[in-house]
């Protein structure tokens, strides 16, 4: 069976796996972005706290994804739960690091001006510092998303959702007629999703970053 015939015969399952893969990555990126930006906002003023945050999240990233999911299975079980926890943890480092860099790069005179007109610390952070730090934060989100697209495929090891199931089925049946087609369909699906997500981030950047501070 040719690759195109395989796609035609399996298109419904492939579309389901693709939707689940995209949904898992998107939801985990939302959580990772909220947590990562919060960590950056809390720690960027202190050198040791910022160092602790980046060191901790970078240490998490050094754990092999298969090992991470394997360690999570006894704690949270099989399926979606270990996938969500693992992807969220892996997505933190670029966001935390870029949030700290972005917040530290805000012109102090702008912060002083906001303070001078009576803005509270929380208001300065929300209305001045975070908007100006958004470009590097968005870059961190883009980097994390590209990483998680590939890492999410490993979630199939724990009966997780997504295109990794197609790849693992192909690997498990090497030598059969459709083994290569399965691996190729899963791999190409992940590549296409990664490109679509990145294009969406480019559009988001155009819509949310003022022209004057675009890099």
């Amino acid at each position: 069976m040719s690759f195109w015939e395989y796609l035609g015969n399996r298109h419904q399952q492939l579309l389901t796996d693709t939707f689940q893969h995209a949904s898992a990555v998107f939801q985990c990126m939302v959580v990772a972005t909220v947590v990562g930006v919060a960590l950056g906002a809390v720690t960027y003023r202190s050198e040791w706290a910022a160092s602790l945050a980046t060191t901790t999240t970078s240490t998490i990233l050094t754990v092999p994804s298969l090992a991470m999911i394997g360690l999570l299975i006894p704690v949270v079980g099989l399926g979606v739960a270990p996938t969500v926890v693992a992807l969220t943890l892996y997505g933190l480092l670029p966001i935390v690091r870029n949030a700290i860099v972005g917040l530290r790069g805000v012109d102090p005179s702008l912060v002083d001006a906001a303070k001078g007109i009576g803005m509270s610390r929380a208001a300065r952070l929300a209305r001045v510092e975070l908007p100006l730090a958004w470009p590097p934060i968005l870059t961190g989100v883009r980097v994390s998303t590209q990483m998680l697209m590939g890492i999410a495929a490993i979630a199939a090891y724990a009966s997780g959702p997504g295109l990794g199931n197609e790849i693992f089925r192909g690997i498990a049946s090497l030598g059969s007629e459709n083994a290569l087609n399965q691996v190729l369909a899963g791999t190409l699906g992940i590549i296409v999703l990664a490109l679509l997500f990145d294009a969406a981030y480019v559009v988001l950047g155009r819509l949310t970053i003022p022209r004057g501070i675009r890099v």
Side-chain angles (χ1 to χ4, degrees):
M1 182 185 298
S2 72
F3 179 64
W4 300 112
E5 289 175 332
Y6 176 80
L7 291 182
N9 292 337
R10 296 274 298 173
H11 71 278
Q12 194 62 49
Q13 182 61 49
L14 288 171
L15 286 175
T16 299
D17 287 340
T18 299
F19 173 79
Q20 290 178 344
H21 198 101
S23 177
V25 171
F26 175 76
Q27 292 178 63
C28 292
M29 279 310 308
V30 170
V31 177
T33 300
V34 171
V35 174
V37 171
L39 279 173
V42 168
T43 61
Y44 82 99
R45 290 185 176 91
S46 168
E47 192 63 44
W48 72 267
S51 178
L52 178 62
T54 54
T55 300
T56 302
T57 52
S58 63
T59 300
I60 292 171
L61 202 58
T62 63
V63 179
S65 53
L66 196 59
M68 172 72 80
I69 291 174
L71 292 170
L72 288 170
I73 289 174
V75 180
V76 297
L78 295 169
V80 175
T83 302
V84 170
V85 174
L87 293 185
T88 301
L89 291 174
Y90 281 126
L92 287 175
L93 175 61
I95 300 171
V96 171
R97 183 173 55 198
N98 281 34
I100 291 171
V101 170
L103 288 167
R104 286 180 172 175
V106 174
D107 189 343
S109 64
L110 296 176
V111 179
D112 289 340
K115 186 177 180 180
I117 62 173
M119 280 190 182
S120 66
R121 181 171 175 178
R124 294 196 301 271
L125 179 66
R127 299 176 61 182
V128 178
E129 295 175 273
L130 282 176
L132 291 174
W134 175 238
I137 292 172
L138 182 60
T139 299
V141 173
R142 290 177 67 180
V143 171
S144 287
T145 302
Q146 298 305 305
M147 290 194 311
L148 297 196
M149 278 295 171
I151 294 173
I154 307 298
Y157 171 76
S159 302
L163 290 163
N165 290 295
E166 197 72 18
I167 296 172
F168 272 79
R169 282 194 293 265
I171 293 173
S173 60
L174 283 176
S176 66
E177 180 184 7
N178 287 319
L180 182 59
N181 289 335
Q182 289 175 312
V183 174
L184 189 59
T187 303
L188 289 178
I190 291 171
I191 292 172
V192 170
L193 275 181
L195 293 174
L196 290 174
F197 266 71
D198 203 56
Y201 285 132
V202 171
V203 174
L204 179 63
R206 294 281 182 181
L207 294 174
T208 59
I209 300 174
R211 184 174 299 178
I213 62 173
R214 285 181 194 163
V215 178

